[in-house]
Amino acid sequence: RRTHVHLLPTYTEIMDLLLKCLKNLSMEPSALADLEAAGTLETLVPLLSGPMSDRYRNHILPCIFNMCRINKRRQERVAALGIIPHLKKVITDNSPLRQFALPILFDLAHTCDTTRRELGRWNCQAFFLDLLKENYWQAFALNSLAVW
């Protein structure tokens, strides 16, 4: 007699699927308010600190990027939820995900004093100054420093 237990998806496979769905939903502008109302940011940011963060980061950062692009309130929310050290790690590790992390981090400087204080707490002024060495990101870093 054969069991079908091996056909059941694992927890990580289910998480991968759910996060992929969220990432794809976040590409649809009309879904962003509903994702926000459902607590997506409050759910995703803590996953970046979890034991499977390296595996899930590929879905989480693009989703947060999509949700936070051009929305200062959501940018302020993810900063308050503690995303800054995670963004800095992705950037300093030279991860391919830095293309998502850098714009989020730069946008945070344009939000409010509370968020800029949070950036300061994580030494982002020096971090932005260091990014002036990178040709592509120079203007973004300078612009973020200028509004600070």
Side-chain angles (χ1 to χ4, degrees):
R1 187 176 136 171
R2 298 180 76 205
T3 62
H4 295 283
V5 174
H6 68 282
L7 299 177
L8 296 175
T10 66
Y11 172 81
T12 52
E13 291 169 333
I14 293 169
M15 283 296 292
D16 275 337
L17 181 61
L18 289 172
L19 291 171
K20 188 184 287 187
C21 289
L22 283 174
K23 178 178 73 174
N24 290 334
L25 278 171
S26 75
M27 292 181 210
E28 176 54 48
S30 64
L32 296 178
D34 290 331
L35 286 171
E36 181 181 10
T40 302
L41 295 173
E42 290 79 2
T43 302
L44 293 180
V45 173
L47 288 176
L48 292 170
S49 299
M52 299 294 289
S53 62
D54 289 342
R55 179 182 181 122
Y56 299 149
R57 193 175 286 130
N58 290 330
H59 301 306
I60 294 171
L61 283 178
C63 184
I64 290 174
F65 172 84
N66 292 335
M67 289 186 69
C68 290
R69 223 43 204 155
I70 69 169
N71 189 301
K72 289 191 185 322
R73 187 183 70 256
R74 290 186 199 127
Q75 293 164 7
E76 292 166 5
R77 185 71 193 127
V78 294
L81 289 167
I83 198 165
I84 294 169
H86 302 292
L87 297 175
K88 285 183 67 178
K89 181 177 178 0
V90 165
I91 295 163
T92 55
D93 287 353
N94 246 347
S95 162
L97 294 170
R98 79 192 306 257
Q99 68 178 331
F100 297 105
L102 278 162
I104 296 169
L105 195 62
F106 291 138
D107 284 347
L108 294 180
H110 297 266
T111 57
C112 68
D113 288 339
T114 304
T115 301
R116 283 188 285 276
R117 275 193 296 281
E118 189 66 16
L119 286 166
R121 188 167 82 88
W122 291 100
N123 201 25
C124 287
Q125 289 132 327
F127 194 72
F128 289 167
L129 286 170
D130 195 47
L131 287 167
L132 292 174
K133 298 174 193 165
E134 297 186 29
N135 286 336
Y136 183 79
W137 298 107
Q138 277 178 346
F140 296 100
L142 196 57
N143 193 16
S144 292
L145 286 165
V147 298
W148 208 313

